[in-house]
């Protein structure tokens, strides 16, 4: 049986008991560094489902469909540099192609990546995108302290001279509505995907890393044919409120998340995500009128 003393020892978060790891291009996405630095994507994973987030972090489970992530990375690497794009294609080659058959011994580029090529062309032809996104330094790692914990972030394109940064987002449909149970209304993809939080955190991490305040922009490009595109700023009154709300959500939840990560508290299951469905066992029948709806 675990004694209270034992809990006290393991209760110290990984972040606090270990020396900080220097973040590099090579280890930025490695699971090791996620135990030492919180990130927006990890925090969002924990807010969605703690059990799934922890299993992913411990390498016990991974999401089945990684294609949307690959499409995003494919487009990103293109605008990072020619070298980065070639390296990405070289590393992920087989996952970008259809399965080989007799007619096509090497397969062909999957339709998702043909769409990605169209998305790239769309952005390349936009003057506003070229003027804002292209001059910045690409994939800049930033770190800082947010409410007592270390965080990391990677800026797609950072322009310290002009004091702004850009993030590139691939999205199904820029104008799709998403139900928000927190606000009890439909939201757009920026709110649904936690991009108010991401921008607020990046502003803070850039401030702590470089000592300057930078303004965020998102360039969104859709997977539709032909792709939709938009340049988005965060200067609206409601934008500021959403960004403050997002920072408050971090303040209120991150201590609990650290305790879940350190094993001091058990993760909560959401009971309907991919991971929870996979690991679920039927116990007793539930009442018909008690089935939860989301
Ligand atoms: Zn779940």
């Amino acid at each position: 049986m675990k004694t209270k003393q034992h809990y006290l020892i393991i209760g110290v978060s990984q972040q606090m008991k270990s020396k900080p790891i220097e973040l590099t291009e090579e280890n930025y996405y490695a699971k090791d560094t996620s135990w030492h630095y919180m990130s927006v994507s990890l925090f969002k994973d924990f807010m969605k489902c703690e059990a799934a987030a922890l299993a992913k972090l411990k390498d016990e489970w991974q999401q089945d469909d990684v294609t949307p992530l690959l499409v995003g990375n494919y487009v990103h690497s293109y605008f990072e540099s020619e070298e980065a794009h070639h390296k990405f294609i070289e590393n992920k080659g087989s996952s970008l192609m259809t399965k080989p058959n007799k007619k096509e011994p090497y397969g062909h580029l999957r339709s998702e990546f043909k769409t990605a090529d169209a998305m790239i062309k769309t952005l390349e032809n936009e003057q506003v995108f070229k003027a804002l996104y292209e001059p910045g330094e690409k994939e800049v790692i930033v770190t800082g302290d947010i409410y007592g914990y270390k965080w990391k972030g990677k800026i797609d394109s950072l322009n310290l001279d002009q004091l702004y940064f850009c993030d590139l987002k691939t999205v199904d449909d820029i104008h799709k509505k998403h139900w928000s149970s927190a606000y009890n209304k439909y939201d757009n993809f920026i709110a649904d995907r936690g991009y108010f939080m991401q921008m607020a955190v990046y502003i803070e991490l850039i401030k702590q890393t470089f000592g300057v305040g930078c303004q965020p922009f998102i360039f969104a490009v859709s997977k539709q044919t032909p792709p939709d595109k938009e340049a988005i700023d965060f200067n609206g009154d409601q934008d500021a409120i959403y960004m403050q709300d997002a920072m408050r959500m971090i303040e209120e939840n991150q201590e609990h998340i650290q305790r879940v990560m350190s094993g001091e508290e058990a993760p909560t299951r959401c009971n309907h995500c991919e991971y929870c469905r996979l690991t679920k066992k039927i116990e007793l029948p539930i009442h018909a009128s008690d089935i939860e709806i989301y």
Side-chain angles (χ1 to χ4, degrees), residues 187-205:
D187 268 336
N188 64 25
F189 81 100
I190 298 284
D192 182 64
R193 291 203 192 168
Y195 294 154
F196 285 108
M197 175 181 291
Q198 189 182 0
M199 295 305 109
V201 166
Y202 282 8
I203 290 170
E204 187 55 35
L205 295 182

Side-chain angles (χ1 to χ4, degrees), residues 21 63 158 163 175 193 199 218 222 229 236 255 277:
I21 296 181
Q63 246 150 340
L158 175 62
L163 298 180
H175 301 284
R193 291 203 192 168
M199 295 305 109
I218 280 182
S222 85
K229 64 263 180 174
E255 198 156 322
R277 280 184 277 125

Side-chain angles (χ1 to χ4, degrees), residues 48-53 61 268-277 279:
K48 266 187 238 150
C49 177
E50 294 175 6
W61 169 77
T268 307
R269 294 169 64 87
C270 76
N271 280 327
H272 64 273
C273 77
E274 204 178 311
Y275 173 78
C276 287
R277 280 184 277 125
T279 51

